[in-house]
Amino acid sequence: MVDSIVSVPPELKEKQLREPTIVVEGLTKRFGDTEVLKGISFDVKPGEVLSIIGPSGTGKSTVIRCLNLLETPTSGTVSILGQQVSTDGRTLLSQRQLEKLRSRAGMVFQTFNVFPHLTALENVTLAQQHVLGRSKSEARTRAMSLLERVGLGERANFKPNQLSGGQKQRVAIARALALDPEVLLLDEPTSAIDPELRVEVRAVIDELAASGMTMVLVTHEVRYAARLSDRMLFLSDGVVVESGTPDQVVGEPQQERTRRFLHALEDDGV
Amino acid sequence: MSLIGLLSAFFVTLQMVVIVLIGASLLGIPVAWARMARFKVIQFIAAAFIGIIRGIPTLAWLFIVFFSVTIAGWTPGALFSAIITLVVVNSAYFAENYRAGFEAVPSGYKEASAALGLSGWDRTRLVTAPLALKVIVGSSSSIAIQIVKETSVASLIGAQELTYYANAHVAAGGNGMFYFSVIGVFYLALSLVLGIFARRNTNTESTPATI
């Protein structure tokens, strides 16, 4: 719309389009004496799906939690949605700016964290009303269409304790999407769900990827991640061991550490 | 034994329980807020208040308050002194109870509300407080029952409630076992009513423990 009124030089427009959604440089995170992340760098371009794989306890979740500052990085730089949010342990945003930023970057948790005192519908309307200031009826309409999109239209008035893990996670995804986020951060979204019910959550994530949603996915389901992602990072002991397309990282891993990890998974039948 | 005397003593006890319950549970809110405040100085003052209050027997507090106001030349009466003492003492217990309720809310819900971009006040108001409340109502019933029983200390400074009534009759030659059993039934009835009220208002189905 704006383009038709103000003429943007083509090269600038091109640049804006290509500007990465997320840029992380030299990110470190220390919890007490333990250095969990030891200098991580990567970027995510608009419309791209990046997955972070690696053994447990290697800092995968910490990386994704540093992106919306649920964890404060110890050093390094994090930029997201065109804003530098943290550099060398300092948060560069005011509380208000941080809240605004978080509403633009949706997050889905391993443990769902769907609010137990609210119905599925209320979970999805809550932030629409109190963060975006949408009216109650507008929020409900949007929530209903999202719940239908994730296949839970008929469960809108159920409380979380009446829903399965897969259903709760789909409510959580609808809740995140309700704010029309520009990027979605998924922290092991299917790990805590029964294998049979993972399918329904994956279907929703697949559809989001196909619709062009920019996503960062932390997972240890390597085969699924390979199918879904444009690029993958293999993280071990707080460093990026290998990165590239799924064909490169999973198909032809260059590093011994990556190969060992993938072999272990194969032996395990995952 | 006069029935009217007994009932008026019971009424004094009931009046104390109601006022102390309301007063202490309200006063506990700012104390709990201070205890969870971001500023360490405020936190420390609240922690010191709670520690000192809870570390000294209620009976001792009652005498401290009663004699202090008397020395200060103010004579508010035994009942008033007892009510003030019980309100302040129990506010410390309520405050710790509120804090425990808030801390019992799993961090995942707090993080999820933060990740949505809700402001600090909205996070507390819309997510943390409603979840904490379910824990708090249940555990507050033990403080309520404690208050029922603690009102009896007021008899020692001359407030004419149930225990005072029994003591007075025994001192006049009445049967101790009889009089104290009678007032025991009244205390028990009050405690039971409060217990039932608390249980009705605790919704175990959606406590935060069930994720």
Side-chain angles (χ1 to χ4, degrees), chain A residues 65 68 70 95 99 102-103 105 107 109 111 113-117 126-127 130-131 161 168 175-176 179, chain B residues 108-109 111-120 122-123 125-127 130-131 134 205-206 208 210-211:
Chain A
R65 291 163 59 85
N68 63 354
L70 283 183
Q95 194 58 37
E99 286 155 11
R102 282 173 171 165
S103 73
M107 185 152 194
F109 298 86
T111 50
N113 302 342
V114 175
F115 305 129
H117 60 303
L126 186 79
H130 297 281
V131 176
N161 61 3
K168 275 187 258 197
R175 177 174 70 180
L179 301 181
Chain B
Y109 299 130
E111 284 181 353
S113 60
L116 286 168
L118 288 164
S119 67
D122 277 346
R123 276 180 255 164
R125 185 170 67 93
L126 302 168
V127 178
L131 292 175
K134 291 183 189 296
E205 221 178 281
S206 47
T210 51
I211 297 178

Side-chain angles (χ1 to χ4, degrees), chain A residues 52-64:
Chain A
I52 303 175
I53 59 166
S56 325
T58 201
K60 302 190 296 286
S61 292
T62 307
V63 173
I64 209 168

Side-chain angles (χ1 to χ4, degrees), chain A residues 17 50 86 99 116 172 206 244:
Chain A
L17 279 175
L50 175 86
S86 177
E99 286 155 11
D206 288 350

